[in-house]
Amino acid sequence: MTFADPLWLLALVAVPALAWALWRPRREAPGVRYSMAGDAAALGATGWARLRKLPDALLLAALALGVLGLARPQVRDATVERSTEGIDIVLALDVSTSMTAEDFVPNRFEAAKAVAAEFVRGRESDRIGLVVFAAQAYTQAPLTLDYPFLLTMLQEVRMGLIEDGTAIGTALATATARLRDSQAASKVVILLTDGQNNRGQVDPQTAAEAAAALGVKVYAVGVGGDGPARRGPFGAFGPAPEVDEGALRQVAETTGGQYFRATDAQALRQIYDAISELERTEIEETVLLDVEERYPLFLWPALACLLAAVALSTTRLREVP
């Protein structure tokens, strides 16, 4: 244990001096005189009389404990185990070129990233992972409670780094694999895509059946509005890619999840809000702290000693002037 403000410890020097001042022999005349001292001496000392110095001792203890608390005792490199409640979620984000359609502002891809980031910032105890996919699927971040790390990984997602295409089945299989060893009662994949399965060797329905067997629910989100795919200086042009709503709905229903159609960013936010209604489950979490403050262990007892001293000195142990 170390002290963050060790200069406060110098005040402990005053404790012995104060104790001497309180308990040194006093030679002043007594406050009450008896006409017959022999009769008074024969009465003997009661139990409370023997405790007449207890308020002074409590004040000294309060002073010493208070000084130690103000010096801020700390334990460094502490490990704290705590239990939280949450669900395990894997975000599967489509990064194919069709996600550049501008029926969202500024486009589908950027809007999906922004709303996903809002969702992560609103979590407290949910473990979240991130899978990105186009013609192939890759794990961008494993399940984690380290939300700053997850947000950094989400921010670094770029288009064009994966071969173009839409491998929905492969993405779902990859996301499910991240949840295979999860002990959470609620395991969820949020699948965001704007197209139809046209790549990969895993059929989306086969992947959905495998997810259902592992107790994973799929919330499929078809991303796409009614606007044009592009906007240029001479107006809008080009139709937006079509979402295979039938296939996505079947995937979701197979796993006990739901299908949503997101036509704008606000609809995406409402979909993420629905995830918060899922069943919660207890997760054991280990938190590593560089410094753990221990001053309450001294300040609370100091306050208790002070209150006890005041109470006793004004009631049963009150001294007659």
Side-chain angles (χ1 to χ4, degrees), residues 7-22 59-61 63-64 67:
L7 290 179
W8 273 100
L9 296 177
L10 294 177
L12 287 176
V13 177
V15 174
L18 183 58
W20 179 83
L22 291 173
L59 286 175
L60 289 173
L63 175 61
V67 169

Side-chain angles (χ1 to χ4, degrees), residues 22-306:
L22 291 173
W23 286 335
R24 74 182 189 276
R26 298 182 179 180
R27 298 182 179 279
E28 62 270 14
V32 177
R33 297 179 182 274
Y34 293 91
S35 58
M36 298 183 65
D39 293 341
L43 294 176
T46 65
W48 283 107
R50 294 188 181 94
L51 296 176
R52 66 185 182 279
K53 291 297 184 180
L54 181 58
D56 294 338
L58 290 172
L59 286 175
L60 289 173
L63 175 61
L65 290 170
V67 169
L68 289 172
L70 291 173
R72 291 181 57 198
Q74 300 173 336
V75 175
R76 297 187 179 277
D77 298 326
T79 301
V80 177
E81 297 282 348
R82 69 184 184 188
S83 296
T84 60
E85 291 186 346
I87 57 180
D88 284 353
I89 303 171
V90 174
L91 304 176
L93 178 61
D94 189 346
V95 295
S96 60
T97 55
S98 60
M99 289 287 287
T100 60
E102 298 175 359
D103 49 347
F104 281 55
V105 179
N107 57 47
R108 295 176 178 178
F109 175 69
E110 294 298 336
K113 281 179 57 177
V115 176
E118 292 178 11
F119 173 74
V120 172
R121 293 189 189 98
R123 300 304 92 197
E124 293 182 357
S125 56
D126 300 324
R127 295 198 305 171
I128 304 176
L130 177 62
V131 168
V132 295
F133 70 97
Q136 300 291 332
Y138 298 94
T139 300
Q140 181 78 357
L143 289 171
T144 181
L145 286 164
D146 188 347
Y147 298 147
F149 163 76
L150 182 61
L151 289 170
T152 299
M153 293 295 99
L154 179 62
Q155 186 63 33
E156 291 181 356
V157 174
R158 297 287 185 272
M159 303 188 68
L161 300 179
I162 306 176
E163 182 183 354
D164 199 22
T166 305
I168 296 175
T170 302
L172 181 54
T174 302
T176 301
R178 305 308 310 181
L179 294 166
R180 180 175 53 196
D181 298 326
S182 169
Q183 300 299 315
S186 294
K187 296 178 284 189
V188 172
V189 172
I190 303 178
L191 176 66
L192 292 97
T193 182
D194 69 341
Q196 304 176 6
N197 186 73
N198 55 29
R199 297 294 298 270
Q201 300 180 350
V202 181
D203 179 73
Q205 185 58 28
T206 302
E209 292 172 359
L214 293 173
V216 176
K217 294 180 181 179
V218 176
Y219 281 69
V221 182
V223 180
D226 299 325
R230 300 287 183 274
R231 301 181 187 277
F234 302 103
F237 63 92
E242 294 185 2
V243 178
D244 191 349
E245 293 191 276
L248 292 178
R249 183 176 286 107
Q250 185 177 4
V251 164
E253 292 176 353
T254 298
T255 63
Q258 299 180 45
Y259 168 74
F260 299 91
R261 179 64 184 270
T263 56
D264 54 32
Q266 183 58 35
L268 270 178
R269 292 185 180 91
Q270 293 173 354
I271 292 167
Y272 281 120
D273 289 341
I275 305 301
S276 299
E277 303 301 322
L278 291 172
E279 178 185 358
R280 318 300 288 183
T281 185
E282 189 171 289
I283 298 173
E284 291 294 333
E285 178 185 2
T286 300
V287 181
L288 299 179
L289 304 175
D290 291 333
V291 174
E292 183 181 2
E293 298 283 353
R294 292 293 180 86
Y295 62 84
L297 298 179
F298 296 91
L299 292 185
W300 286 115
L303 179 61
C305 289
L306 179 61

